[in-house]
Amino acid sequence: MTKIRTCLFGLGHMGRNHLRILQEDTRFEVLAVIDPVTETLPPTAQSVPLFKQLPEGLAFDLAVVAAPTELHYSLVTDLLQ
């Protein structure tokens, strides 16, 4: 089975929950977590790269947007381009 290559945007309260669920579900491969504020992953998270911004050239199939609601439009618009 081919895993769904996933990037998580935002690692606040909801982002941490999304990360846990994504890492528990074998259908997903979390390639990166993108959060401009957070310095470290939660202690219970499996090792995954944490970036301040999306690295250029990172190819993924799914973006999970868990950033603050007021950032959703600009973030998703940038991702679609």
Side-chain angles (χ1 to χ4, degrees):
M1 173 178 85
T2 302
K3 293 190 177 212
I4 301 168
R5 299 171 303 158
T6 306
C7 281
L8 172 63
F9 292 83
L11 198 56
H13 178 72
M14 287 305 298
R16 291 171 188 267
N17 189 47
H18 285 299
L19 179 60
R20 179 184 57 79
I21 291 168
L22 288 166
Q23 289 189 322
E24 288 175 356
D25 192 323
T26 59
R27 296 175 295 175
F28 300 98
E29 176 186 5
V30 181
L31 300 178
V33 174
I34 316 301
D35 189 299
V37 177
T38 303
E39 297 295 329
T40 59
L41 293 173
T44 56
Q46 298 166 18
S47 180
V48 61
L50 174 62
F51 298 102
K52 299 290 182 189
Q53 61 186 15
L54 181 63
E56 193 170 318
L58 182 64
F60 54 95
D61 306 311
L62 173 68
V64 176
V65 177
T69 304
E70 62 270 12
L71 300 176
H72 285 190
Y73 179 81
S74 62
L75 180 57
V76 172
T77 302
D78 289 346
L79 288 170
L80 289 172
Q81 292 177 4

